[in-house]
Amino acid sequence: MTTEHATEAVAGETTDQPAKGYVQPEVDVAAMTALLDGRYAEVRRLVRSNLVAHADLLTDAETLDTAAFRERVRDVVVEMAATGQTGMGFPEEYGGGGDIGASIAAFETLALGDLSVLVKVGVQFGLFGGAILQLGTERHHEAYLARLVTGELMGCFAMTETGHGSNVQALGTTATYDEDTGEFVITTPDDASRKDYIGNAAAHADVAVVFAQLEVGGESRGVHAFVVPLRADGAVLPGVRIEDCGPKMGLNGVDNGRIWFDAVRIPRDHLLNQFADVSEDGIYSSAIDNPNRRFFTMLGTLVQGRVCVGGAGINASKVALAIAVKYAVRRRQFEATAPPAEDLILDYGMHQRRLFPLLARTYALHFAQENVAQQLHEVFSGPPPTGGEEGEQERRRLESDAAGLKALGTWHATRTIQECREACGGAGYLSANRFDALKADTDVFTTFEGDNHVLLQLVAKGLLTDYASEFEDMDQFGMVRFVAGLAVETVLERTSARKLLSAIKDALPGGDEWDQEAGLLDPAYQQAMLRLREEHMLGGVARRLKRGIDQGMNPGEVFSRVQDHVIGAARAHVERLVLDAFVAKAGDFPDGDTKVALNLLCDLHALTTIEADRAWFMEHGRLTAARSKAISREVNDLCRKIRPLAPDLVDALGVPREMLRSEEILGS
C-alpha cells in the first residue's frame, strides 16, 4: 500500500467539493463481490440460490400461524441439508464436506434470508451437531453424525439454565453415575436448573446434548456433556418434561423450549468423552488433569457458534443497508437544489452521514470476520486439544477474537437495522420491507452465544494476562490478583500493540507530534491512533487494578469499580483489529478504480471511528480541536465521494433481489 490512499487531501483543506484533480472512480461490482465472497465464493452462491428457491418463506413468516411456520422452517432446513450446504463442516465419511471454513461461509450467507431458518440450522448443525463432533468420540460419531447431517435426527443443545446463562461452571443440572447399573441419572433439582430458551426443544428435537454437573462416587467432577433422548416417535419420553417458551420478539419459526429431567437414566456411553470418561466400575479419567483447564478446553471447542453469530449479524446488516440505500436513490423529498424537481434523499448530507459510515463499517467487519473464520478453520482442522501449552495460546486467542468480533458485529446489526429503518421513513415500518423481521429476529444476537459485555470481559482477560498458562484457572477476580502482581510495563510489553505502534510512529512524520503532522488519510496514522488508544486504555486498567489491590481492597470490588474501563479497553482492541483487517485487505487489492472505492470506505471507517471517540483522544492530548474539526470535514467529503458509488457498493454485498422484498419502495 502507498503511504496515503489515492483519495488523500491535506488535513484541514477539505471543501464542500471533492479535492481538485479528484477523478470519480467506477466500481466493478463483480470484482468487489468476488473480494467479499473470498475463497468460498462457490459456497456462497449455492446458499444464495437456495435462499431464492425458498424466498416465499419471507411471506410465510407473516401469514402462517406459529405451529405451521415452525413446520415450514423445519422442512426447509431438511431440504437445504440435502443440497450439502448445512453439513460442510462435518467429516466426509458421515456425509459432510470436511471443510469448517466453508460451513462458516455458508451459515453467514444464510443470514441474508429468513433468520428462523438460520437459527434452526445453527442449533441443529452448529450447536447440537458441533457438540457431538467436537466433544464426542468415534462411538458417538458413528451413532449420530450421518443422521443429523441429513436432518433425519433432530437435536438440541441444552446448556443454558434459567438461573445460569453466562456462568456455565455453576449449572445446576446433575448427572450422577450409578455403578450398579452402569448408567448416568440426569436430574433437574429445582426450577432455577431447568434448561431454558433451548432451540428445537419445544417441538422437533429427538435428543439433546445436555450439560450437567458430573458426580462419580460422591465426588463432583464439574460440567460435562451427555446425549439424552427426549422423544420417541414424536412423543416425549418418561421422566422428561418440556414446555414451550411461548411468544418471542422474533424467530417464531424456532421452537424454543424449557426442559426438566426427573431422574432420567442414560447408558454410560452417552457421556461425550473426548476430554474425560467414566469406566464401568466408576473410575473417572481425563488426559487433562486441571479441572478448570479441562472445562475451558471443552467450551473452547464450541467457539464456532460465536464466530457464526457474529457473521450472521454482519450479513443481516447488509440486507438493511441494501434496502435503505436503494430506497434513497429513488425517493425524492423537498425542492432543495433545482426547483421544481425534488431532490433524492441520498443527495442530502445528513442522509449520507447516516448510512455511509455504517456501510463502511459493514465492509470492515466483513473482512475482520473473514480473518476470524480462517483462524477457526486452521485451529479446528488440526488434532483435538490435549490441554498442553502447545497450540493452547492459539486457541485462546481465537476464543478472544471470536468473542470480541461477535460483540461488535451483533451490536452493529442492531444499530444498522434501526438506522436504516428510520432512513426509510414510514415505508420502513411496513412488514413488506423486511425491517420488522430484521429488527425482531436479530435483536437476540446480542445475547446469543454470550452477553456481549461478558464476552468483552473475556477479551480483556486475554489482553491483560497474555493468555498466560494460568488463564483457565482465573475467574475475573483471579485476573485482578494476577495483573496486580505484575508491573504495568510488563502487561504492556506482553501486547503486540506497543511494538506495532512504535513501528508505525517511526513511519510517520512529526516525531513525538506524529499525530498532529500525519495526513488524515494515511492508513498508518489511522492505525496508530487506534493502537495508541488501545495501549493507553489497557495500561490504565492495569494501573487501576494494581492500585486497588495495593490499597487492600477486595478483588471483586476492584474489578467491579474498573469494569467499565475493562470493557472499554477490550472494545478498543477489537476495533483496532477490525481496522487492521480492512487496511490489509485494501492494500492487497489490485490498483484501479475499485481499489480507490475500497480505500474511500476504509478511510471513512477509520475516521468515523476516531471521530466517534474524539472526546477520548482530545482528553488524552492526541487530537486538537482544529484537527478534530478537520476529521469531520474529511468525513463529509468522503461521504460525498461515496455518494455516486453507493448503489454499486451495496450491490456488491451480494444480497439477492428476492431477499430484499420491498417491491413498492425499490421498484422493479
Side-chain angles (χ1 to χ4, degrees), residues 421-658:
R421 204 293 299 160
E422 293 182 27
C424 291
Y429 204 64
L430 301 179
S431 294
N433 299 326
R434 282 213 68 185
F435 287 109
D436 67 336
L438 286 170
K439 281 169 60 66
D441 291 346
T442 62
D443 197 80
V444 74
F445 286 9
T446 59
T447 47
F448 261 173
E449 291 295 317
D451 175 273
N452 285 348
H453 289 93
V454 175
L455 294 183
L456 287 179
Q457 289 174 195
L458 174 65
V459 175
K461 177 179 159 186
L463 292 172
L464 289 162
T465 64
D466 193 34
Y467 313 98
S469 58
E470 300 91 341
F471 186 82
E472 277 88 0
D473 294 328
M474 298 179 211
D475 56 15
Q476 298 295 358
F477 314 130
M479 179 198 74
V480 173
R481 286 187 284 264
F482 179 86
V483 174
L486 301 173
V488 173
E489 291 71 20
T490 303
V491 174
L492 294 179
E493 288 296 343
R494 284 180 161 187
T495 72
S496 60
R498 171 167 289 195
K499 301 182 187 75
L500 292 169
L501 179 62
S502 297
I504 288 180
K505 284 167 64 176
D506 289 344
L508 291 168
D512 288 339
E513 299 298 318
W514 58 269
D515 49 345
Q516 307 305 321
E517 302 294 332
L520 295 180
L521 302 183
D522 187 336
Y525 163 75
Q526 298 162 358
Q527 290 176 287
M529 288 289 278
L530 295 200
R531 284 174 175 143
L532 179 140
R533 180 180 62 166
E534 174 189 349
E535 181 183 281
H536 194 287
M537 293 183 79
L538 197 60
V541 170
R543 290 184 189 92
R544 291 182 66 189
L545 293 176
K546 187 172 181 64
R547 184 165 59 246
I549 293 296
D550 289 347
Q551 292 173 353
M553 292 173 60
N554 177 279
E557 185 179 356
V558 173
F559 179 75
S560 182
R561 290 189 178 193
V562 181
Q563 199 168 12
D564 60 330
H565 202 152
V566 167
I567 290 170
R571 187 163 190 158
H573 169 73
V574 183
E575 287 195 335
R576 191 263 293 175
L577 292 182
V578 171
L579 178 59
D580 285 353
F582 203 163
V583 170
K585 184 65 70 171
D588 290 341
F589 198 76
D591 290 342
D593 276 13
T594 303
K595 179 169 184 168
V596 172
L598 197 61
N599 282 335
L600 287 169
L601 286 173
C602 189
D603 286 331
L604 181 60
H605 170 67
L607 293 186
T608 51
T609 300
I610 295 170
E611 183 187 49
D613 206 12
R614 71 169 89 200
W616 186 93
F617 288 106
M618 295 177 78
E619 283 176 356
H620 293 84
R622 309 316 302 191
L623 197 63
T624 64
R627 197 163 176 83
S628 175
K629 292 176 182 178
I631 286 176
S632 294
R633 289 194 296 270
E634 193 67 69
V635 166
N636 289 336
D637 188 57
L638 287 165
C639 286
R640 285 189 289 272
K641 289 174 179 175
I642 289 170
R643 162 61 184 94
L645 311 176
D648 287 341
L649 291 171
V650 295
D651 282 345
L653 297 174
V655 184
R657 179 63 183 81
E658 294 83 353

Side-chain angles (χ1 to χ4, degrees), residues 106-163:
F107 185 84
E108 292 172 356
T109 309
L110 199 56
L112 302 178
D114 176 79
L115 292 167
S116 285
V117 170
L118 171 105
V119 172
K120 191 85 166 178
V121 166
V123 169
Q124 169 71 11
F125 305 101
L127 296 176
F128 170 62
I132 298 289
L133 177 63
Q134 298 293 345
L135 301 181
T137 52
E138 185 176 357
R139 71 191 188 206
H140 306 107
H141 299 168
E142 291 289 339
Y144 304 111
L145 285 186
R147 290 189 298 143
L148 76 82
V149 165
T150 63
E152 174 192 350
L153 176 71
M154 299 296 285
C156 62
F157 183 83
M159 177 183 281
T160 298
E161 295 179 354
T162 304

Side-chain angles (χ1 to χ4, degrees), residues 112-252:
L112 302 178
D114 176 79
L115 292 167
S116 285
V117 170
L118 171 105
V119 172
K120 191 85 166 178
V121 166
V123 169
Q124 169 71 11
F125 305 101
L127 296 176
F128 170 62
I132 298 289
L133 177 63
Q134 298 293 345
L135 301 181
T137 52
E138 185 176 357
R139 71 191 188 206
H140 306 107
H141 299 168
E142 291 289 339
Y144 304 111
L145 285 186
R147 290 189 298 143
L148 76 82
V149 165
T150 63
E152 174 192 350
L153 176 71
M154 299 296 285
C156 62
F157 183 83
M159 177 183 281
T160 298
E161 295 179 354
T162 304
H164 285 101
S166 298
N167 188 7
V168 178
Q169 277 183 294
L171 294 178
T173 303
T174 58
T176 305
Y177 184 63
D178 183 344
E179 188 178 333
D180 293 337
T181 63
E183 297 172 313
F184 292 105
V185 182
I186 311 297
T187 301
T188 305
D190 49 49
D191 274 352
S193 301
R194 72 187 182 190
K195 298 300 179 181
D196 213 343
Y197 323 118
I198 310 301
N200 264 9
H204 296 142
D206 302 306
V207 296
V209 170
V210 176
F211 289 80
Q213 300 285 352
L214 172 59
E215 297 179 0
V216 184
E219 184 177 355
S220 176
R221 294 291 186 170
V223 173
H224 291 65
F226 304 81
V227 178
V228 182
L230 299 179
R231 292 180 173 89
D233 299 322
V236 176
L237 292 169
V240 178
R241 178 158 64 99
I242 298 176
E243 287 183 1
D244 196 305
C245 284
K248 308 188 296 286
M249 286 178 64
L251 299 175
N252 288 311

